[in-house]
Amino acid sequence: MTLARLKSSLLALAAASLVLAPVWASAADGDNWRSGISTVGELKHPDGFERFDYVNPDAPKGGTLRMSTTGTYDTVNPLLAKGELATGLGLVFDTLMKPSEEELSSSYGLLAEAVSFPEDISRASFRLRKEAKWADGQPVTPEDVVFSFEKSKDLNPQLASYYTHVTKAEVTGEREVTFTFDEKNNKELPQIVGQLLIVPKHWWEAKGADGKPRDISRGTLEPVMGSGPYKIASIAPGSTISYERRDDYWGKDVNVNVGLYNFKTVTYTFYADRDVEFQAFKAGNTDFWHENSASRWATGYDFPAVKDGRIKREELPNIYRSVGIMQAFVPNGRRDKFKDPKVRLALNYAFDFEEMNRTLFYNQYQRINSFFMGSDLASSGLPQGKELEILNEIKDQIPPEVFTKEYRNPMGGDPAKQRDNLREAVRLMKDAGYELCGNRMINVSTGKPFEFEILVDSAAMERVAVPYSQNLKRIGIGATVRLVDTSQYTNRTRSFDFDMVVNLWAQSSNPGNEQADYWGSKSVDRQGSKNFAGIKSPAIDVLVNKIIFAKDRDDQVAAVKALDRVLLAGNYVIPQFYRGEMTLAYWNTLVQPKELPRYGIGFPEAWWSASAEK
């Protein structure tokens, strides 16, 4: 995937993954206005700090950044959960608070100069900056914030779930808006409302360029207006979208923006084929490339621009330092055929990661064995201490092996191991009521063969799914791989119209409310949720609540590890592979800061054009 999509998954989908149990910047005796919130430890920067440490405050302004992405787009309405949203719209809009890539999970005031909340965290108030303005010069108002909140919940099921416990937003002062919560002591709620993307109420309620009233409940290709550093300069639906830096941006001198947004123009070109997209990068039509193909990274960069240094290659762990990854084949548990955990485990025995790693990935990956792979939240060994105490509370509702057996994926890699794994898969299917008759796996009760479709949206994942389907066919399971375009894939996953898909969950170091959207019972039937596996378990609901209401970091970590164990023991997914580094290539037309932030790469905000240095 492109960097924009990766950052959406790892950091923003990450919006849903950046928060939990905050340690507040000052004592919470009554309401205290503060400029930032840290969810792990103390804020790095004091009130009134000058800038983030990693930025170059003297970075030259100018030049063009040419980006690419796979897929298409048919709308630039940032709140609507319909259609395909254009990439890069975050450049147009501001949020109340801005996250720091220097810290695990901290955010500082952007549109809001300060945030306040009482000791019981029953509400949170944000005081807007006097200087905050929309691109048409009108001030950003509390009414805009209320409008944005209400429309986000009305039009986007995922945001409606994310903000479930935020009951209302109301104007409480000339520049003040207050969010009320329906539960107390949920420490992440002030943080997540700070992530709210703010849109202009007056613009959406006015008439458009065509003279007709605008409708925020519908997609649009009219360039939308925001308060952010860029405006939409041009739109070619499904082909390109271009953004131009606003010289009159109200927030260019705010401390959280100093040294950022240096490119004059940022353009995204959309491609239907990833290989064609790479050829455009090689030809110099794109400046930056995030490589997601291990084979291409190993063998595909033997061309002049790399050899003579015009293209630089880097392997950077920064983003992964704060992110736990689960990428997996995900069977849809809403389907009867996938309800039995023995069946789901059998599907794991048929996945030969070691052979795939050798033949497709040049041994660059490792097998995922946790829903929080690569982070300190990943479970290991057998449960102990607080983690064991939590699990004992739901002992009768979870698999007994949670207490007695460390989770391990089947090991393949040679013919003998593969045969043993496939025999075990056949045995598990038999225990689940299936029988291998000739070359077909048959349900003994119904006489129907076990067949399903693996839905993918990229040729890269198709290359992974095909050998997996071939292994399944060796034990009589008819698995077909279907490659569809981005729009069809989005629509089908939103409505859970699939047998099996591939998904990546990017977990921050501070899981919170988003866990209910991933695994909670209430999200099973809500279209647009991220509960692709169709999990509906009272025990998992208990663990999710313990994460959300963790009193301190120790309780949080114990609850997350307990959840990890129960999810693994349920065999809800077939884990795929992981590499704790971003593989990047970029032309020497781009310049990066001398020191990148520890938990990010500052791209594209903190980078600049080499041409602007001249």
Side-chain angles (χ1 to χ4, degrees), residues 117-118 120-126 165-168 178-186 188-193:
F117 41 83
D120 65 0
I121 319 178
S122 57
R123 66 181 185 279
S125 298
F126 292 82
H165 298 295
V166 187
T167 58
K168 64 179 178 179
T178 297
F179 297 87
T180 301
F181 311 137
D182 67 1
E183 58 187 15
K184 298 179 179 180
N185 301 311
N186 185 335
E188 76 164 332
L189 290 177
Q191 177 80 297
I192 67 173
V193 293

Side-chain angles (χ1 to χ4, degrees), residues 7 11 54 100-103 316-322 582 595-603 607:
K7 290 182 72 173
L11 299 176
Y54 67 92
S100 165
E101 293 187 52
E102 298 174 310
E103 301 163 75
L316 301 175
N318 303 46
I319 286 177
Y320 291 94
R321 289 174 178 147
S322 63
M582 292 182 69
E595 290 190 20
L596 297 178
R598 179 166 179 78
Y599 301 108
I601 63 170
F603 184 85
W607 294 40

Side-chain angles (χ1 to χ4, degrees), residues 521-538:
S521 297
K522 292 182 180 180
S523 65
V524 169
D525 300 318
R526 188 181 66 252
Q527 290 196 6
S529 82
K530 300 300 181 183
N531 190 347
F532 299 116
I535 298 172
K536 192 172 185 179
S537 163

Side-chain angles (χ1 to χ4, degrees), residues 298-317:
T299 65
Y301 287 80
D302 186 19
F303 55 93
V306 175
K307 292 179 179 179
D308 63 24
R310 285 176 293 151
I311 287 180
K312 302 177 182 180
R313 297 208 299 165
E314 293 191 76
E315 300 178 2
L316 301 175

Side-chain angles (χ1 to χ4, degrees), residues 500-577:
M500 179 181 285
V501 292
V502 176
N503 191 58
L504 184 151
W505 288 276
Q507 301 277 9
S508 82
S509 59
N510 295 281
N513 283 0
E514 76 287 342
Q515 301 302 304
D517 189 59
Y518 297 165
W519 332 113
S521 297
K522 292 182 180 180
S523 65
V524 169
D525 300 318
R526 188 181 66 252
Q527 290 196 6
S529 82
K530 300 300 181 183
N531 190 347
F532 299 116
I535 298 172
K536 192 172 185 179
S537 163
I540 288 175
D541 293 339
V542 168
L543 295 174
V544 167
N545 281 332
K546 285 186 177 294
I547 292 170
I548 293 172
F549 293 101
K551 295 179 180 179
D552 54 39
R553 179 66 173 176
D554 288 344
D555 284 353
Q556 175 199 13
V557 172
V560 173
K561 289 186 175 181
L563 172 66
D564 188 27
R565 292 183 189 279
V566 174
L567 289 172
L568 290 169
N571 299 305
Y572 294 109
V573 302
I574 296 89
Q576 290 189 341
F577 36 83

Side-chain angles (χ1 to χ4, degrees), residues 124-128 140-150 168-180 201:
S125 298
F126 292 82
R127 189 172 64 220
L128 299 179
V140 179
T141 67
E143 287 82 5
D144 292 318
V145 179
V146 172
F147 177 80
S148 301
F149 170 73
E150 292 177 346
K168 64 179 178 179
E170 57 187 335
V171 178
T172 52
E174 182 182 359
R175 291 187 288 118
E176 183 178 303
V177 60
T178 297
F179 297 87
T180 301
K201 181 174 186 285

